[in-house]
Every structure is written in structure tokens, then in C-alpha cells.
Amino acid sequence: MYISDPVGLSSFCERARHHKVLAVDTEFIRERTYYPQLCLVQVGTGEECACIDPILLDDLAPLADLLADDDIIKVFHACTQDLEVIHTTLGIECAPVFDTQVAAAFLGLRQQIGYGALVESYCKVHLPKAESLSDWSRRPLDADELQYAEDDVRYLPHIHERMVEDLARRGRLSWVEPEMALVTDASHYVRDPRKAYTHLKRVNSLTRKQLAVARELCAWREELAAQRDMPRKWVVSDEVVVEACKRLPHSPERLRRIRGAEQLKGRDAQGALAAIERGAKARPETYPKRSHHERPSQEVEGVLDLMYAMLRVVSNKSGIASQVIATKDDLLDFMQGRSEARIRTSGWRYELVGRQLERLLAGETGLTVKEGRVELL
């Protein structure tokens, strides 16, 4: 069903409101803009699929009310970008949400499994990929594009039902719900300009003082890109930002000597230099904390390798992706006894692997190889 008129939209949303679970997906483009441009919203009820055209519809209020309904579970696959474009365009936080990609990692499927592989696993249907690079802003959309778009929500209600049953049977539904809440938290898609530096490529190569400069320079870039609705890299690239944080140029001429900064002229160059100066003058107690761990010693690396081997054993036996259970940084936090270690603060993680890691670190258990496989002693 293709909906491009107000009556059709209101009628469909009224019918959809009677369902407790809705599958949702979006098509958007953002290659030439700062904000993602919503081009299509697909909604599946299990009985019908609708492709809603936000380009031809002036009023999306019925859709916004539907997706903001707290009594309806919205099922997505890999939801972060969809939630961002929905928030940007409709001005709502879409909740509650069930993300099938998150759930899959608790059910023996690989982490970050693609939608096509998920449908093939659960529904034995092979989806074509021919329209994945379509220009969704072009009108009219053809039949193949609409079929492709509908398929993105056609199978999700069934998959959601089976996943919930399987998670409940394994006693893992309560494990998944807090993980789902983390993934769908608005902080993942509503960016604070003052935290934009944390997404900078090669940010770990900067000292804490240089991070203070990066915080100011990235905030300036973020605000300017949003104001002009253009990709942030069109203002200035990550590589230029990192180099400017290291060189601390004091004049437009010195700034433009950084390769890739030639386009910064006039007010833009002055704005970048002012941001660099603010960061350089920051007091040491206000410097950002480094988000990564210092490189551990060889001895600690050896212990971490052993802990990670145990984690892989637990992952294989439980069918939960190892990266979902813990990262190497999580293992280091646990080894160093940090109270905020995720393995300690998350009940299911501690029950699943934390107790065994404590026994490993205490020398009370170990690992061995049997028939070519690593196993617990």
C-alpha cells in the first residue's frame, strides 16, 4: 500500500492503532546534508504493509501520533538511524522499541546480523538487494522500489513474535530489555555539540589538552554544519581537526597550511581559530577524560587473553555474541576491580561469566583443549 494523501494516511493510522506491535523502517538520504532527509516510512501491522510518503504529504501528525504511542511496540532492525530521522522529521521519541538485531545477538545469531540474513534464518525467504542504493528522494517510486521497501517490514512482526517466545523460553527476555533501552536511548541519535569530539577519527591519538581543543573545534564545526545543513566533513574534515589540535595555529595563514584546510577563509577561518584558542586556554581540571584504557603491560595482556578465551567459551555455550557480553575494556575493568565494571553492574553478565572470571583470576579454575576445542577445566 502506497500512501501519499492525507485521507489514506489517517485511515491507515487509525487501523494500525489497534495493533500492539508495529514493524517500522525508513528510507532516507544524508550524503549532502547534515540532517537526514526522510524519504519514506514503512509500517507493517502483520496484516498489511504501508509505504508512507513524507515528501508528498504535508501533514504527518497522524503518523507521529502513531509512532509516539506508548502502548504500541515498534519493531525495527538496527534502529539507531531510523530513530534519528524520525526524531528529526517528526519531533518525537519513538518508544517502546524492540530491535531485532539486538535480540539476535542473544539467540545464537552473529552480532550485527543483517536484515536479509535474519529473514532468511527465520522465514526461509531470500530478499533481493537490487534497490538498496536507490535514490529514495526521486519521484515517482517504481513498483520494484515499493516492493523492496515493503519487504523491510513485511516479516518483522513474525520474527518479533518468535524472538520474544525464544527469549522467554531461555529466560533471557529480562536480559535483553535493558540492552534495548541502551541502544534506543536518545543520546545515541540526538548529538550534543560539546560531545561531538568523541566521534572524531583518531581521537585516541590526542592528549587530554589536545582533547580540550578538539571539544571546542568539533562543537564549532557541528553547529556550523547544522546551521548550513551540510555534512560536517564539508566544513572541515576529521583529519584537519586532529592536525589543528596538535599544531594550534594562531593565524588564518598557519591554519590553511594544514592540508585540507584551504577552504577555511574569512569568518569560517576566524571561527575555527577562536574555537582553537578557547580550547587551548581551558583549565587543566576541565580537560576531557580519555575514553580508552592505557595500553596494559605484557603480563596484563596475557591475563586478558586468558580471560577472553574463557569469554569465548561462555559465548559459544550460551549462544550470546561475545561482544554483547563484554569487550576487552570490560574485561580489564573487571580485572582491575573497578566498581563500575559492566560485568559487575549488569546482573546477567555477572551470573553468566563474572563468577567464572573471578575463579579464573583466583587460580581456582582454568582452560584446557579437548578434541581441538577450548573448554573449562
Side-chain angles (χ1 to χ4, degrees):
M1 185 193 316
Y2 175 61
I3 298 175
S4 59
D5 65 282
V7 174
L9 177 63
S10 296
S11 177
F12 170 76
C13 289
E14 184 58 36
R15 295 195 303 275
R17 195 175 294 281
H18 296 290
H19 294 265
K20 292 299 182 183
V21 174
L22 294 177
V24 185
D25 189 43
T26 65
E27 305 297 343
F28 58 91
I29 56 174
R30 69 184 317 164
E31 288 82 4
R32 300 179 296 275
T33 59
Y34 177 83
Y35 296 105
Q37 307 298 302
L38 183 62
C39 300
L40 201 66
V41 181
Q42 303 97 281
V43 180
T45 67
E47 297 176 358
E48 56 183 341
C49 298
C51 291
I52 299 166
D53 195 329
I55 293 178
L56 299 182
L57 283 160
D58 294 327
D59 184 5
L60 295 172
L63 177 62
D65 291 342
L66 178 68
L67 297 183
D69 192 327
D70 292 337
D71 293 327
I72 299 175
I73 297 172
K74 275 69 68 173
V75 182
F76 292 83
H77 184 80
C79 67
T80 303
Q81 293 191 78
D82 297 302
L83 295 180
E84 178 189 2
V85 70
I86 288 171
H87 178 269
T88 300
T89 307
L90 303 182
I92 62 167
E93 291 186 15
C94 187
V97 166
F98 184 96
D99 190 322
T100 54
Q101 189 177 71
V102 174
F106 286 83
L107 293 171
L109 298 171
R110 68 180 183 273
Q111 189 185 25
Q112 296 185 335
I113 185 172
Y115 177 68
L118 187 74
V119 170
E120 195 149 2
S121 176
Y122 274 89
C123 306
K124 311 306 178 189
V125 173
H126 178 74
L127 296 178
K129 299 180 180 180
E131 309 300 328
S132 59
L133 292 178
S134 288
D135 180 357
W136 294 100
S137 66
R138 182 186 54 80
R139 293 296 180 273
L141 296 170
D142 63 32
D144 289 340
E145 289 171 326
L146 291 173
Q147 175 73 35
Y148 172 91
E150 286 184 1
D151 282 345
D152 282 345
V153 294
R154 188 182 311 281
Y155 305 98
L156 281 178
H158 171 70
I159 293 173
H160 166 262
E161 182 179 2
R162 286 187 56 189
M163 281 184 156
V164 170
E165 290 174 354
D166 202 2
L167 289 167
R169 180 175 54 81
R170 300 188 191 196
R172 295 179 183 176
L173 195 55
S174 62
W175 297 5
V176 172
E177 288 169 348
E179 301 300 312
M180 211 79 73
L182 287 174
V183 170
T184 58
D185 187 274
S187 64
H188 288 285
Y189 56 86
V190 179
R191 283 198 177 183
D192 177 356
R194 300 285 296 171
K195 295 180 180 178
Y197 75 95
T198 61
H199 302 282
L200 193 64
K201 293 177 183 176
R202 293 177 53 217
V203 68
N204 290 338
S205 69
L206 300 177
T207 65
R208 288 190 63 201
K209 181 176 182 179
Q210 291 166 347
L211 283 176
V213 179
R215 178 174 58 195
E216 300 296 332
L217 191 52
C218 286
W220 165 80
R221 180 179 68 165
E222 202 78 10
E223 291 167 354
L224 188 60
Q227 176 187 331
R228 297 178 180 174
D229 194 19
M230 61 191 297
R232 55 185 65 83
K233 66 181 179 181
W234 287 12
V235 177
V236 63
S237 69
D238 281 6
E239 291 76 13
V240 170
V241 170
V242 169
E243 194 63 23
C245 292
K246 293 178 178 180
R247 295 193 190 187
L248 301 180
H250 295 290
S251 68
E253 293 73 23
R254 298 292 297 179
L255 176 62
R256 287 193 289 269
R257 291 185 72 173
I258 299 173
R259 188 172 60 189
E262 301 85 1
Q263 79 275 20
L264 289 174
K265 298 176 182 178
R267 293 178 62 183
D268 288 356
Q270 292 300 329
L273 289 169
I276 292 169
E277 184 178 5
R278 285 195 302 274
K281 290 182 176 179
R283 298 189 307 275
E285 62 269 22
T286 68
Y287 290 169
K289 293 182 179 179
R290 297 175 68 87
S291 61
H292 72 292
H293 292 277
E294 297 296 331
R295 184 173 180 83
S297 65
Q298 287 188 344
E299 291 78 8
V300 171
E301 282 277 12
V303 177
L304 286 174
D305 288 342
L306 194 60
M307 293 173 71
Y308 191 70
M310 173 172 277
L311 173 64
R312 292 294 299 272
V313 171
V314 171
S315 171
N316 290 335
K317 287 187 175 181
S318 66
I320 301 177
S322 60
Q323 283 294 102
V324 171
I325 303 173
T327 64
K328 282 204 170 181
D329 281 349
D330 291 328
L331 295 177
L332 182 57
D333 285 341
F334 186 82
M335 176 186 173
Q336 294 176 339
R338 298 178 186 271
S339 59
E340 71 274 16
R342 192 163 64 136
I343 298 173
R344 297 186 191 280
T345 58
S346 177
W348 70 266
R349 287 184 173 88
Y350 182 75
E351 292 299 323
L352 187 67
V353 74
R355 293 184 188 278
Q356 295 185 71
L357 288 173
E358 285 179 339
R359 294 187 64 219
L360 179 70
L361 294 174
E364 298 171 358
T365 189
L367 301 169
T368 188
V369 177
K370 291 183 180 179
E371 299 179 355
R373 295 182 302 179
V374 178
E375 294 187 3
L376 300 178
L377 286 172

